[in-house]
Amino acid sequence: MVRSKLHTSLPQGLPTRQQVLDFIASSEEPAGKREIARAFGLKGTEKIALKALLKDMAEEGLIDGNRTAFHRLGGVPRVTVLRVVEIDDDDVLAIPDSWQPDDATPPPRLRIVEVRAKGPRGAGRDKQAALKLGDRVLARTEETGSGWLAHPMKKLPATNDQVLGVIELDGSGKGWLAPVDKRVRHSVPIADLGGAEEGQLVLAEPAGRSPRAGVKVTVVLGDPLAPRSFSLIAIHKHGIPFVFPHATIEEAERAARLPLSEDMREDLTHLPIVAIDPVDARDHDDAIWAEPDGSGGYRAVVAIADVSFYVRPGGAIDREARKRGNSVYFPDRVVPMLPEVLSADVCSLKAGEPRAAMACHLAIDASGRVTGWRFTRARVRISEVIAYEKAQARIDEDTAEPHLVHLWEAWRLLEKARHARDPLELELPERRVVLDQQGRIAEVAIRERLDAHRVVEDFMIAANVAAAKALEAKVAPVVYRIHEPPSREKLVALKDYLSTFDRKLALGQVITPSLFNRMLKDIADETEKALIMEAVLRSQTQAYYGPRNAGHFGLALGSYAHFTSPIRRYSDLLVHRALVDAYDLEQPRPPASADVPALSGLADRDRSDLARVSDAISAAERRAMEAERETIDRYVAAWLSGRVGEVFDTRITGVQKFGLFATIIGLGGDGLVPVSTLGIERFGYDEKAQRLIGEETGEEFTIGMILKLRLAEANPLTGALKFEPVNLLDGASGIERRGDRRDAPPRKSGKYQAGKRGRPGNIRHQGRRR
């Protein structure tokens, strides 16, 4: 290449970023790596350093990563990296990711323009992935008369160093970011507030490569203690997609208008099928019906929303549902897997409305065994949607309609078979947070477990088993729900723990759920039973999805798949699609004008790589479970923040060398009791027995013990609680309890409490209820 005369006097050696930009902008020919190296006289290792520099500049959006030049217009490059800072119903707004804190003018806000291209069969598809707050995207920019526009080229990988926190200012006015993650203990200095104010919840990222550079605020989320903020914290912390792209909404609206053809659908609208759900359920996946078969058994139908009819493989809805993996349920909101027009309306089995369903027909014999099954696509009209409590009340008061009585009678048979199977039975109370109309906590209670819950559960288990076995019969792909037996390592730990109670666990025998059930049944002492039940629970593996069957240990089942909740679980949708293919249940293709993908069976990519998608939805499930659990913890901590100083009955749930973990009985809310508060003597940690032992007195603290503890701190933003012993002196042992504040003046009430060394620390919300 012939260089321009402008470049004959360039400094020789590795150029700076600005020198590279100047060279590209002034070059008369396309300027690539080779041309830049030649212009600056680079050789050997300098060329390697140039390659790394150009890669960094491309990632920063300063160049497009190829050979094309750009010019800065009003401070915004023609190709640059943007960060999404606002999403509403109509617009996605972003700012340049590389905007410097010391720039004299605020960063421009660019409206991201959706780019569409033609996909398979002429269907429209998004070139950009769905965007959420904080996402980074490489985009081409242009300035128009009405402002800046950005045309996305590709979504960039999420950075792992984003952090959620609350803005705090110290005495000098310097900003600090107090984290909302209980695992992060220290505040971080803020280099750029980004317009955020004290007390606001924000997303931030490192301002430079050195930790001393602090962080810069990228997104302002608002009041951290306002109603609905606790779930918002979890959504952003775990990166849960919660805004549907326009293309997904548009396709869902088109799909919702698909005619419910009677062709190739079994007509079940005459059956009094009922949906039994929580009183506040927003969608209804399943409904059930049963009647005697005249020989001591029952015929039953489990009708499941036919989501695969509306959500076709490869479409915009399918891509978004695959990314989400499942719906996420918080006390104040649901982040659905599917757009609301489908999840809460067209797919939902509403009473009195004709609906598309996948029907599982079951034959149940007099012993409760399911002796036969078949699957059809059907039209149903649900006779009633009834809450668990109301259904149970009708049965208990003997006012239930015949079809409801038949359901209970059929369930008694399924229950008989369940007892014969003897699945793992652990009493695991579930907390329920009830909010008032303002989004504040009205009550935190334990969910009552009724027979009505067991009725629905056992019918769903029967349908799930039938789906797995039906696909196996056709040698078709199956996404199994797998729960493997406890690992030998966990069994050895359980054996060692049981030995401290003079109880034995022979590792040479076959480990079954019945073994654990018998063990717990033989324990008369309730305290000891709670201890061992906790240990058995800890020994269990985590369930997951996969294409290779390993059985379901907890349910004592050899083949098990999730089939009954396709509105809220992508795994179930895949099972539906596999059934469509295996049993030739494809519906007539929609007209071309419908603009939705034609087929509703498994996509080729899923058929050939079920392991990959199974891993993805397993990870999404774990993400949802953690987000839901953390949000409940935050709500409980907020509810308890007005009760700091009160004494509660607690049970020890964990023991570590640094202290105890205890939960409030009947309420939940896990908190730490630091070992420093247990007394002036040293405590040794017995890992085998999961206990702390006083070296002088021999006093022990073990899992399951009941203690009266005073609530010392409650942090709504992290969900963390801290307890301390009640008595200043232990009369039995004479141990002096450190940290007791019974006679101390009350803590200063306020929204925030300073952390170590005068810096703002983890936020402590005390003395008031929100």
Side-chain angles (χ1 to χ4, degrees), residues 127 135 173 178 187 245 283 293 327 351 363 370 391 438 443 447 477 484 521 541 555 564 586 631 664 723-724 729:
K127 190 174 180 180
D135 275 353
S187 298
D283 52 62
D293 64 4
S327 297
V370 176
Q438 287 72 43
E443 180 186 11
R447 291 187 187 274
E484 297 187 43
K521 185 178 180 180
T541 60
L555 292 176
T564 55
E586 190 62 73
T631 300
I664 299 174
F723 296 108
E724 56 191 11
L729 289 175

Side-chain angles (χ1 to χ4, degrees), residues 209-414:
R209 295 187 177 182
S210 169
R212 288 178 292 183
V215 297
K216 60 180 180 181
V217 174
T218 57
V219 180
V220 178
L221 300 175
D223 182 357
L225 297 178
R228 298 171 63 86
S229 285
F230 298 140
S231 57
L232 194 62
I233 290 172
I235 287 169
H236 284 283
K237 175 184 173 183
H238 293 280
I240 295 172
F242 69 104
V243 176
F244 286 103
H246 292 304
T248 303
I249 298 293
E250 290 172 358
E251 185 180 296
E253 291 172 347
R254 292 193 298 271
R257 294 192 292 269
L258 287 175
L260 183 54
S261 173
E262 297 183 16
D263 295 341
M264 299 179 66
R265 281 196 184 273
E266 183 180 17
D267 187 2
L268 300 178
T269 56
H270 62 286
L271 295 181
I273 305 177
V274 296
I276 306 176
D277 273 316
V279 66
D280 57 350
R282 306 180 196 184
D283 52 62
H284 307 285
D285 285 280
D286 55 82
I288 46 181
W289 167 88
E291 71 173 9
D293 64 4
S295 61
Y298 277 79
R299 292 186 295 269
V301 172
V302 178
I304 305 299
D306 189 3
V307 174
S308 64
F309 177 67
Y310 298 99
V311 181
R312 309 298 178 94
I317 315 171
D318 183 52
R319 291 197 302 273
E320 185 67 16
R322 173 191 290 262
K323 182 172 66 175
R324 295 181 178 221
N326 47 252
S327 297
V328 189
Y329 293 86
F330 299 107
D332 62 329
R333 74 179 82 199
V334 175
V335 180
M337 184 180 76
L338 303 175
E340 188 171 354
V341 67
L342 297 180
S343 63
D345 188 9
V346 175
C347 291
S348 186
L349 302 181
K350 293 185 174 182
E353 300 287 340
R355 286 291 185 263
M358 185 76 78
C360 174
H361 297 257
L362 300 172
I364 305 169
D365 69 13
S367 64
R369 292 183 299 114
V370 176
T371 58
W373 53 77
R374 65 184 178 92
F375 290 86
T376 65
R377 269 179 153 162
R379 291 175 68 249
V380 298
R381 182 178 287 109
I382 305 305
S383 65
E384 184 180 14
V385 175
I386 181 172
Y388 287 112
E389 295 79 7
K390 287 187 177 181
Q392 188 67 55
R394 290 183 195 174
I395 293 294
D396 294 342
E397 297 165 4
D398 201 21
T399 60
E401 299 82 354
H403 61 265
L404 208 59
V405 173
H406 289 158
L407 278 179
W408 254 252
E409 291 171 349
W411 167 65
R412 291 296 180 191
L413 299 182
L414 292 174

Side-chain angles (χ1 to χ4, degrees), residues 69 91 115-116 146 161 166 223 321 327 436 459 486 489 506 569 595 612 621 692 749 759:
D91 294 313
V115 177
R116 298 186 63 81
S146 59
D161 44 13
V166 174
D223 182 357
S327 297
D436 61 20
F459 272 105
E489 181 183 13
R569 292 189 305 228
D595 197 20
R612 179 178 53 81
E621 180 190 44
L692 288 174
S749 176
R759 297 178 179 178

Side-chain angles (χ1 to χ4, degrees), residues 59-116:
E59 290 177 352
E60 294 169 11
L62 297 177
I63 58 178
D64 64 7
N66 296 312
R67 298 168 60 92
T68 309
F70 72 87
H71 302 277
R72 286 185 177 273
L73 299 174
V76 181
R78 287 182 176 172
V79 176
T80 190
V81 176
L82 303 175
R83 185 177 297 278
V84 177
V85 295
E86 182 179 335
I87 298 177
D88 59 27
D89 292 337
D90 299 313
D91 294 313
V92 178
L93 301 179
I95 63 173
D97 190 50
S98 58
W99 203 265
Q100 297 299 317
D102 57 354
D103 282 352
T105 57
R109 297 165 73 85
L110 297 88
R111 182 167 64 87
I112 294 182
V113 180
E114 186 176 76
V115 177
R116 298 186 63 81

Side-chain angles (χ1 to χ4, degrees), residues 681-684 692-701 735:
E681 71 170 324
R682 294 177 62 87
F683 279 81
L692 288 174
I693 307 173
E695 294 182 356
E696 297 178 9
T697 64
E699 184 172 13
E700 295 185 5
F701 295 95
I735 296 176

Side-chain angles (χ1 to χ4, degrees), residues 2-17:
V2 178
R3 284 194 288 125
S4 166
K5 292 182 179 180
L6 179 64
H7 303 135
T8 56
S9 59
L10 285 175
Q12 300 298 284
L14 185 67
T16 65
R17 278 172 165 75

